[in-house]
Amino acid sequence: MEKHLYKSLTENKKEIKAKFGQSVDYFEKNIEILGHKAAVIMCEDLTDITNLWQVNLRPLNNLKADFSPEQVYRYITEKTTIPFNANAAETFEKVMFFLTAGFTIMLIDGVDKALVAPTQGYSARGISEPQSEGSLRGTRESFCDTGRKNMALI
């Protein structure tokens, strides 16, 4: 049975952090939205951080209203142009799925659902000629960092 998120931001962060263990890719940033504690969580190497801060979080700085945590959640999903998915993650399994797929999760204290932002961005080197493994015959391209590009080379 899938375990549902808590209304407590602290409990949610603790549970998610425990699932990631000592992973160096786990990133958690505590923020405040309209006076409510919140957190942004992502896997660093799977996320375009510039996209996250400029497109998704900057508009939140301009909000000025007296909302409950649930109203903040609804306002972000229904009234802003911030591209958070309408299908929120309500279980820890969904949160883990989205995080490991390069999405960013936002948790708001007092809300038992997570906002999901599409912020995938994989840093990678381009396809280039290998420096240490020269070839007299054959192709001059070498494998790169991403599996999808490597498969295309094969």
Side-chain angles (χ1 to χ4, degrees):
M1 189 164 110
E2 293 186 355
K3 188 172 181 180
H4 285 270
L5 292 173
Y6 306 110
K7 284 194 177 254
S8 166
L9 175 63
T10 305
E11 291 300 313
N12 286 330
K13 290 190 314 182
K14 188 165 81 173
E15 184 96 17
I16 295 167
K17 176 71 175 159
K19 289 183 181 292
F20 273 93
Q22 298 299 316
S23 173
V24 296
D25 293 333
Y26 179 82
F27 176 84
E28 177 185 301
K29 170 84 172 154
N30 293 313
I31 61 173
E32 192 172 292
I33 304 171
L34 296 172
H36 300 284
K37 292 180 181 179
V40 173
I41 301 173
M42 65 181 150
C43 289
E44 279 190 296
D45 286 343
L46 302 176
T47 306
D48 180 358
I49 295 175
T50 304
N51 177 27
L52 169 66
W53 297 121
Q54 290 181 352
V55 176
N56 295 317
L57 297 180
R58 182 177 285 166
L60 294 177
N61 291 334
N62 301 324
L63 294 178
K64 293 182 179 23
D66 187 24
F67 288 154
S68 71
E70 279 289 337
Q71 289 172 320
V72 170
Y73 177 89
R74 279 197 312 279
Y75 182 81
I76 291 171
T77 57
E78 297 170 7
K79 306 284 187 195
T80 68
T81 58
I82 302 169
F84 282 105
N85 291 352
N87 300 331
E90 297 181 2
T91 65
F92 286 104
E93 289 77 11
K94 284 261 184 154
V95 166
M96 294 303 292
F97 169 79
F98 283 119
L99 286 173
T100 56
F103 289 78
T104 297
I105 301 298
M106 180 187 289
L107 300 167
I108 302 170
D109 196 27
V111 179
D112 60 355
K113 296 176 274 201
L115 291 161
V116 179
T119 55
Q120 297 94 332
Y122 310 99
S123 60
R125 295 177 288 180
I127 300 168
S128 62
E129 186 172 338
Q131 301 297 318
S132 62
E133 299 171 5
S135 173
L136 296 175
R137 302 175 80 187
T139 183
R140 296 201 177 271
E141 289 87 15
S142 64
F143 289 113
C144 57
D145 294 333
T146 61
R148 192 167 287 179
K149 285 184 185 175
N150 288 338
M151 291 298 290
L153 286 172
I154 295 173

